[in-house]
Amino acid sequence: MAATTSAAVTESPGLETQRKEIESLLQEHELCAGDTWYLVERRWYEQWKEYVVTGDQNSSSFPGQIDNTELFEELDSYHLKERLVENEDFVLIPAEAWCNLLAWYGMVDDQPALERKVVDLPSTVKVEVYPVEIFLCLHSNMENVVTAQFSRVDHIHTIQKVMMKQFDVVEGAETRLWMKSSDTCCERLRNVHVNVLDSSLSSGMTVIMEMRNEDGTWPSSRPQIMWGFLLFHLEKKNHRNSVEEQESYRGQPGVCGLTNLGNTCFMNSALQCLSNTPPLTEYFLQSAYLEELNFTNPLGMKGEIAEAYADVIKQMWSGRHYSVVPRLFKTKVGHFASQFLGYQQHDSQELLSFLLDGLHEDLNRVKNKEYIELRDADGRPDQEVAEEAWHNHRRRNNSVIVDTFHGLFKSTLVCPECRKVSVTFDPFCYLSVPLPVSKDRVMEVFFVSLDPVAKPVQHRLVVPKAGKVFDLCSALSEMTDVSVNQMVVADVFNHRFYKIYHADESLSCILDRDDIFVYELSSGSVEEEGDEVVLALYLRERSHYRDSGSGSSSCGTSLFGHPLLMAVPRVQCSRNALYHLFLQRLARYVRPPDPSEEDEDDEELYKIQTNGVSDDDGEDNGMRPGPFKRDDCCDGGQWDGQADGPAVTQTQPEQAQTQESGKPAQAEGAIGEVRAGCSTKDSASASCSAGASAGVPTNSQQGAGLQQQQQPCETEEEEEKGECPPQTNEGQAKRKGYQARRRKLLFSIHAVNSNGTTERGMGEDGSAFSFSSQPYVAIDWDPDMKKKCYNENEAEKYVKHQSMEVPHQQTTVQLQECIELFTTVEILEEENPWYCPICKKHQLATKKLDLWSLPEVLIIHLKRFSYTKYSREKLDIIVDFPLRHLDFSGCLLRKTGTNGEPPSRYDLIAVSNHYGGLRDGHYTSYARNKDNGQWYYFDDNKVTYAREEQIVTNAAYLLFYHRQDKIRQPTLPPPSDSSSSPTQPANVTSHKHGMERATSCVNMETD
């Protein structure tokens, strides 16, 4: 700007010379956008013209000093009058002419020069007589408002400089501007390189400057900010409180957690790894990104991703926070990448890929990308082709991301027909290396034998990964000597069958965490149209309260224990037979009441009813329950006179009430009428731990003695008709005493759906289940009866097969093997063929990738998640990666040497971990602080010390390596307590069944 006061008047040339010189300048200069012109009062200018025309320097028309008083509304503020008209109130002269007049005549004291810019408006180019007049103030002091004028072609950066000078803002302080219109809304002036016109600033608006807090936050990020003057004053108080809180904590910069906003551990893990990447973090901490924000890149995010990331980094490295809430960053990511909207779990590598690409485009130094036609090698030397490819890449992509993370690899394609060789060099941001995949898989299953007293046995099997359920059964058959045709495989979850598998189903459907049970069935029972049906048996416990929510009078039930699969003969599925069959199957953990609780009469009644065989007699004769045989129960032998009775039906509500009250059910055809055939105290039925004591006929009882035994009358009707066999008075009394005790059963039987919740209807004749379509049955226990007769501890026990004693050797591979696998020759897939220019068609060419040059920071992505047409799995292989001196010299085509190429040795700086499987999981990270060299474990908002020996695990997913020649030595000593007693990070483990290894028979937790 020219001088605003009177200048020293130089010796003026002749008047004719003055006239010609000014007229020449007026004719030569045309309006050009950006040039400076000056306003001169028309009266003074006309007087000067008259003066130079007369040619008399002593004339009375001498104009004197330049005086623009008539143009000002008031002399105190020198505010220009409104609606001034050119050539009537003022004239416009170019800057050079103004300088001459000012030098010849000077200017009235204290009057400012009316300097104006030439602006290029959409329809015309003209001198901006009335510039934009705006109000300036600081966010921290809204009362101190300053008025300033700026041209419409001035950049926002100019306003920023004026404000920093006006308000004495420390040079180098990070600031940002907000534009406040007449209403209460505010908008960020994000791009300081645009002009006032393009930013929509107009006269009367307010520009507010805020300065970043010491903790890395912005005052406007407080939730109380509403951009009203009143609320600004409230914010001043909040700001003082926040400063006091910040003063209370001082921590190591960078050692800061990130709050989990809801399944955002994947984002937190990736951010922690990038935060501990020194070159990128220092770039943002030094605010170098502000000068490189690209707001015009159509592939970018208008600088918003870069600014949001910068805010997170500056907060994390301020040393003022235990944990940072990255809510704004999460919002920005979801805005520009819809796949990350909401709060679903995602892949940290996918987030990292998007973030690096977004940062690159937001910070791309190339404003206008030129079109570049790629060329094939065509036999040229690799060095020449590689340099050309890298140069072309940098012509379109030049940012801190390219400087830090981009490398170059060589791609070689060979046509299988014409042997055409195509060589290209392509940039990469990270290496996705495959893991060696084993063709076999280790599975742990529980084998449930047909023998009711045998505990389940846990086996460890080696099966083909691409195998079928049949292969699992075959491997188990070799260990158990049980035929494959007698096995059924099921997934047990929450006390019910989650799925019952067919033999031809793929093993990929079974996850490692699933609880798989293999049940042995009787011969031929697996066949769909055989003589037996495979029946699924659930155990339920009735509550003491009615299920009011169901709208019925039935009691609520809850599943417990482990379900069973049993083979039941189709033709002899009476209720009585099923009851005894179930009782025998549960013999191991369903026992009769303590014999000491029974009196002598009950024991005598028990012996009479069981043909004189007591529990002790049964055991002495070696009669122990064995594998279920069809003729043990349902071979047509008359037991309790009801073998041919009606089939199992549902228990009616009134029958359930009668049974719960301990009274015998009288409804005809009800489950309560099934007799247990044994005498127990309080009408509790006996267990099948000994066949006779449970009322189940043994082989010795199925002879003539059983047929000749006088059977008591089952009903009063039979007694009245005289159909009962003759009995003595004593026998009849004992029969009646026993009959009164045996009406209360251990459990009742119901047909249910596959979830074991809804009771199903009966068959067409109203008396039988349709087992072909509803092979699910539940036995309901009264809580008191279950407590007395059901041994929960015994039911949960299992034994381990010797295959479980052999330690499971987890596969370990070296990182170098994965890198070599990445560079092996492969054949393109059918979905991605290569077009051969010689054959003029698409070919399944062979492809080989080689590393040509490596970046300063190398990211290695371990491809743990395997997706194929037939299977999906996560590979839990331990990849042994070095923490120091990872050497790529053996697989790098461009050899390092003395000619300026960088070395190829790297040190580890960060690891992103994934725990869990495909359906769910949790992400954490290890990272080395660049300032003190200490390793830390980041688990969302929790940060703990870590030792180097903890870092290599089977959860490692992303590896960050820093080239040794670029590593800066730590400037701070490591924490004093980290070497002596480092805080252990939270262990994230996945237990299969919560098994204890100290014993071979422990409780089995399957929930």
Side-chain angles (χ1 to χ4, degrees):
M1 182 180 293
T4 58
T5 59
S6 58
V9 179
T10 61
E11 184 177 351
S12 305
L15 297 181
E16 183 64 19
T17 303
Q18 292 182 32
R19 182 183 65 82
K20 290 182 178 179
E21 189 170 340
I22 296 300
E23 289 181 353
S24 174
L25 291 174
L26 289 174
Q27 293 175 358
E28 292 177 357
H29 284 76
E30 296 182 355
L31 295 180
C32 184
D35 288 350
T36 301
W37 287 58
Y38 288 83
L39 275 70
V40 178
E41 186 192 12
R42 180 177 176 276
R43 185 191 59 79
W44 186 92
Y45 185 73
E46 291 296 335
Q47 190 173 353
W48 172 80
K49 287 177 61 177
E50 181 182 351
Y51 171 68
V52 295
V53 169
T54 59
D56 186 3
Q57 295 185 359
N58 298 322
S59 172
S60 59
S61 61
F62 178 72
Q65 292 180 323
I66 301 174
D67 187 1
N68 291 329
T69 302
E70 296 299 325
L71 299 180
F72 297 114
E73 190 171 2
E74 55 183 19
L75 296 179
D76 293 337
S77 62
Y78 292 106
H79 191 273
L80 204 63
K81 292 180 179 179
E82 296 182 1
R83 292 185 293 276
L84 295 177
V85 180
E86 185 180 0
N87 296 327
E88 290 185 7
D89 301 309
F90 63 87
V91 294
L92 293 171
I93 61 175
E96 188 175 351
W98 166 261
C99 292
N100 290 339
L101 291 177
L102 185 63
W104 298 335
Y105 298 96
M107 195 170 184
V108 176
D109 291 343
D110 299 330
Q111 275 195 12
L114 297 178
E115 177 184 353
R116 296 295 184 264
K117 294 286 187 178
V118 179
V119 294
D120 186 4
L121 300 178
S123 58
T124 182
V125 177
K126 66 176 184 179
V127 177
E128 186 182 38
V129 177
Y130 292 98
V132 176
E133 188 176 82
I134 57 178
F135 302 103
L136 309 177
C137 65
L138 288 180
H139 171 268
S140 58
N141 186 6
M142 297 293 295
E143 298 173 355
N144 184 17
V145 180
V146 176
T147 304
Q149 293 182 343
F150 296 93
S151 171
R152 289 171 176 79
V153 296
D154 283 341
H155 288 83
I156 302 299
H157 186 60
T158 302
I159 301 178
Q160 192 176 31
K161 286 184 176 180
V162 170
M163 294 184 69
M164 294 182 69
K165 182 177 180 181
Q166 178 69 37
F167 297 113
D168 296 326
V169 177
V170 178
E171 185 178 358
E174 188 174 354
T175 63
R176 63 182 185 181
L177 304 180
W178 294 82
M179 176 179 65
K180 183 177 180 297
S181 57
S182 57
D183 54 14
T184 58
C185 66
C186 243
E187 182 182 349
R188 270 281 311 277
L189 292 172
R190 193 177 303 275
N191 188 358
V192 297
H193 300 292
V194 299
N195 56 40
V196 173
L197 180 64
D198 293 336
S199 64
S200 301
L201 261 176
S202 59
S203 297
M205 290 186 174
T206 302
V207 174
I208 305 168
M209 173 181 283
E210 64 171 339
M211 292 166 284
R212 190 186 289 273
N213 297 325
E214 293 184 3
D215 65 346
T217 61
W218 293 100
S220 61
S221 64
R222 307 288 178 183
Q224 294 85 358
I225 286 297
M226 294 284 297
W227 293 111
F229 283 95
L230 178 61
L231 291 177
F232 271 119
H233 291 296
L234 294 176
E235 169 58 21
K236 289 167 64 178
K237 298 180 181 179
N238 294 332
H239 178 69
R240 285 195 296 270
N241 293 335
S242 67
V243 171
E244 293 174 0
E245 294 174 359
Q246 294 164 12
E247 294 295 334
S248 63
Y249 176 72
R250 289 293 185 275
Q252 172 63 40
V255 184
C256 176
L258 292 171
T259 301
N260 193 321
L261 304 176
N263 285 330
T264 57
C265 57
F266 72 97
M267 181 183 75
N268 295 345
S269 176
L271 285 176
Q272 291 288 6
C273 291
L274 283 181
S275 169
N276 287 277
T277 302
L280 185 64
T281 296
E282 291 172 358
Y283 171 84
F284 280 96
L285 292 180
Q286 295 169 4
S287 299
Y289 72 99
L290 293 175
E291 297 299 324
E292 296 184 351
L293 287 172
N294 191 332
F295 299 97
T296 61
N297 188 353
L299 301 178
M301 289 78 174
K302 311 302 179 185
E304 295 186 35
I305 288 292
E307 288 186 332
Y309 178 77
D311 288 345
V312 174
I313 293 299
K314 293 199 174 187
Q315 293 178 46
M316 295 175 64
W317 286 85
S318 67
R320 304 293 184 95
H321 300 282
Y322 295 100
S323 179
V324 170
V325 182
R327 192 178 306 278
L328 178 61
F329 178 80
K330 169 71 170 62
T331 303
K332 293 294 183 183
V333 170
H335 175 71
F336 291 105
S338 59
Q339 67 268 29
F340 297 112
L341 278 173
Y343 297 94
Q344 301 297 321
Q345 183 65 273
H346 294 281
D347 191 332
S348 65
Q349 188 271 333
E350 293 178 2
L351 185 279
L352 179 69
S353 177
F354 162 78
L355 182 55
L356 290 178
D357 184 65
L359 290 176
H360 160 64
E361 297 296 351
D362 273 359
L363 301 170
N364 198 346
R365 305 177 185 110
V366 179
K367 307 303 180 184
N368 298 310
K369 296 185 178 183
E370 56 181 313
Y371 172 76
I372 299 175
E373 185 175 356
L374 300 179
R375 298 171 53 195
D376 197 50
D378 291 333
R380 292 181 294 163
D382 286 350
Q383 183 72 26
E384 177 184 345
V385 180
E387 291 178 358
E388 178 186 86
W390 184 249
H391 176 69
N392 291 337
H393 178 63
R394 294 301 296 261
R395 286 167 62 185
R396 293 174 54 87
N397 304 277
N398 184 10
S399 70
V400 64
I401 303 300
V402 177
D403 299 340
T404 307
F405 298 99
H406 282 206
L408 202 65
F409 61 73
K410 175 185 177 182
S411 175
T412 304
L413 292 169
V414 179
C415 178
E417 291 187 10
C418 66
R419 311 308 296 174
K420 160 70 177 176
V421 178
S422 174
V423 176
T424 58
F425 287 82
D426 303 303
F428 66 88
C429 190
Y430 50 84
L431 291 180
S432 292
V433 298
L435 274 61
V437 179
S438 173
K439 295 182 179 181
D440 294 328
R441 172 185 178 184
V442 177
M443 297 184 65
E444 295 180 1
V445 301
F446 292 93
F447 176 70
V448 181
S449 172
L450 195 62
D451 185 354
V453 297
K455 298 181 180 67
V457 182
Q458 186 184 22
H459 293 262
R460 180 174 289 159
L461 309 175
V462 179
V463 295
K465 274 189 177 180
K468 305 290 184 182
V469 173
F470 179 83
D471 298 315
L472 183 149
C473 295
S474 299
L476 185 60
S477 177
E478 296 179 1
M479 293 185 179
T480 60
D481 294 329
V482 176
S483 172
V484 174
N485 295 329
Q486 294 179 248
M487 294 183 181
V488 175
V489 180
D491 182 0
V492 176
F493 174 74
N494 202 17
H495 312 295
R496 60 172 60 91
F497 290 117
Y498 182 79
K499 184 176 182 180
I500 299 176
Y501 294 96
H502 297 287
D504 59 348
E505 290 192 70
S506 175
L507 288 177
S508 61
C509 301
I510 303 177
L511 304 181
D512 291 335
R513 66 179 184 180
D514 293 340
D515 294 317
I516 302 301
F517 285 73
V518 181
Y519 296 88
E520 178 189 2
L521 303 179
S522 57
S523 176
S525 61
V526 180
E527 299 177 4
E528 293 185 1
E529 302 300 331
D531 296 335
E532 296 178 333
V533 61
V534 178
L535 194 64
L537 178 62
Y538 292 153
L539 288 83
R540 304 193 302 184
E541 180 179 359
R542 290 194 301 266
S543 64
H544 289 292
Y545 302 98
R546 299 293 179 188
D547 187 4
S548 58
S550 63
S552 66
S553 60
S554 61
C555 295
T557 59
S558 60
L559 293 171
F560 71 92
H562 298 289
L564 294 172
L565 284 175
M566 302 174 56
V568 178
R570 293 179 181 271
V571 296
Q572 297 182 9
C573 291
S574 66
R575 292 171 298 162
N576 187 43
L578 286 179
Y579 178 84
H580 294 298
L581 178 62
F582 295 161
L583 204 57
Q584 180 183 4
R585 194 67 180 89
L586 304 175
R588 182 169 59 88
Y589 41 89
V590 174
R591 65 183 186 279
D594 192 344
S596 63
E597 298 178 1
E598 301 180 0
D599 54 28
E600 184 177 355
D601 292 339
D602 289 341
E603 180 68 16
E604 291 298 325
L605 288 173
Y606 177 80
K607 290 185 177 182
I608 291 174
Q609 186 62 30
T610 57
N611 200 20
V613 181
S614 66
D615 288 342
D616 296 336
D617 294 336
E619 293 180 4
D620 293 340
N621 293 333
M623 294 165 50
R624 301 189 60 184
F628 168 68
K629 299 178 181 179
R630 187 178 306 175
D631 56 1
D632 283 346
C633 180
C634 298
D635 61 349
Q638 298 296 316
W639 178 250
D640 211 15
Q642 293 192 17
D644 295 330
V648 182
T649 61
Q650 283 185 269
T651 301
Q652 302 300 324
E654 60 269 23
Q655 298 165 3
Q657 295 175 8
T658 305
Q659 294 173 11
E660 290 170 14
S661 63
K663 297 179 182 180
Q666 299 298 327
E668 184 176 355
I671 289 292
E673 289 193 21
V674 180
R675 307 295 192 265
C678 54
S679 175
T680 61
K681 192 171 182 178
D682 298 329
S683 300
S685 179
S687 167
C688 285
S689 60
S693 65
V696 179
T698 61
N699 294 334
S700 63
Q701 291 173 321
Q702 293 178 4
L706 180 60
Q707 297 176 0
Q708 296 173 2
Q709 178 186 355
Q710 294 180 347
Q711 300 294 336
C713 291
E714 295 299 321
T715 64
E716 294 180 0
E717 290 79 358
E718 292 178 358
E719 189 173 1
E720 292 175 357
K721 294 178 182 180
E723 297 177 358
C724 298
Q727 295 186 10
T728 63
N729 292 336
E730 181 181 1
Q732 187 174 1
K734 292 181 178 179
R735 175 189 61 80
K736 290 183 178 180
Y738 173 68
Q739 182 178 350
R741 289 178 171 85
R742 63 180 177 175
R743 292 187 182 275
K744 181 70 178 290
L745 303 178
L746 288 177
F747 48 78
S748 58
I749 305 175
H750 301 270
V752 295
N753 63 1
S754 59
N755 290 326
T757 54
T758 305
E759 297 182 2
R760 311 300 290 251
M762 296 179 294
E764 296 179 357
D765 58 356
S767 61
F769 293 113
S770 177
F771 285 128
S772 60
S773 61
Q774 302 171 3
Y776 291 90
V777 171
I779 57 176
D780 288 359
W781 291 76
D782 181 78
D784 295 333
M785 187 67 72
K786 172 176 175 286
K787 184 178 181 181
K788 182 181 298 184
C789 299
Y790 185 87
N791 189 338
E792 295 188 19
N793 291 333
E794 181 66 26
E796 293 294 326
K797 289 183 178 179
Y798 71 100
V799 295
K800 291 186 177 182
H801 187 261
Q802 60 183 4
S803 61
M804 296 296 299
E805 302 301 327
V806 179
H808 176 47
Q809 298 292 335
Q810 193 166 19
T811 307
T812 302
V813 299
Q814 300 296 320
L815 178 61
Q816 203 67 30
E817 298 179 41
C818 302
I819 297 174
E820 292 174 359
L821 196 60
F822 173 78
T823 58
T824 57
V825 179
E826 61 178 357
I827 300 177
L828 296 179
E829 298 178 353
E830 295 182 0
E831 296 81 4
N832 187 28
W834 170 68
Y835 183 80
C836 178
I838 304 300
C839 301
K840 304 297 183 183
K841 63 179 180 179
H842 289 89
Q843 298 280 13
L844 298 181
T846 59
K847 181 179 181 179
K848 188 178 188 304
L849 296 177
D850 293 291
L851 298 176
W852 179 261
S853 63
L854 297 177
E856 177 181 347
V857 176
L858 177 63
I859 303 176
I860 300 179
H861 168 218
L862 303 178
K863 298 172 69 173
R864 291 196 177 275
F865 299 101
S866 174
Y867 300 96
T868 65
K869 296 181 189 177
Y870 312 101
S871 65
R872 298 189 310 161
E873 63 176 334
K874 182 195 173 184
L875 305 177
D876 286 325
I877 301 173
I878 295 180
V879 178
D880 188 7
F881 50 89
L883 272 63
R884 297 179 182 84
H885 309 302
L886 175 60
D887 192 358
F888 283 90
S889 58
C891 54
L892 199 62
L893 291 185
R894 189 180 69 171
K895 302 299 181 182
T896 59
T898 58
N899 53 353
E901 287 87 353
S904 57
R905 289 180 178 269
Y906 287 79
D907 288 351
L908 187 73
I909 57 173
V911 179
S912 175
N913 304 308
H914 177 267
Y915 300 92
L918 290 172
R919 296 178 182 175
D920 55 14
H922 182 62
Y923 286 92
T924 64
S925 56
Y926 289 104
R928 180 179 179 269
N929 187 273
K930 67 182 182 67
D931 292 337
N932 61 13
Q934 171 65 38
W935 281 93
Y936 294 91
Y937 181 75
F938 299 90
D939 185 358
D940 287 335
N941 59 341
K942 295 180 293 185
V943 184
T944 52
Y945 292 122
R947 298 192 301 268
E948 292 187 354
E949 55 267 24
Q950 295 175 311
I951 298 174
V952 179
T953 67
N954 65 341
Y957 185 46
L958 297 173
L959 310 178
F960 287 68
Y961 279 94
H962 198 182
R963 204 168 62 211
Q964 288 182 345
D965 67 312
K966 294 291 185 178
I967 294 178
R968 180 173 58 87
Q969 295 301 319
T971 57
L972 299 175
S976 58
D977 58 343
S978 64
S979 58
S980 58
S981 58
T983 304
Q984 293 292 337
N987 290 325
V988 184
T989 58
S990 177
H991 296 285
K992 174 75 176 172
H993 294 291
M995 302 175 184
E996 302 173 7
R997 299 184 180 275
T999 62
S1000 61
C1001 185
V1002 295
N1003 288 338
M1004 177 165 53
E1005 301 293 338
T1006 58
D1007 288 348

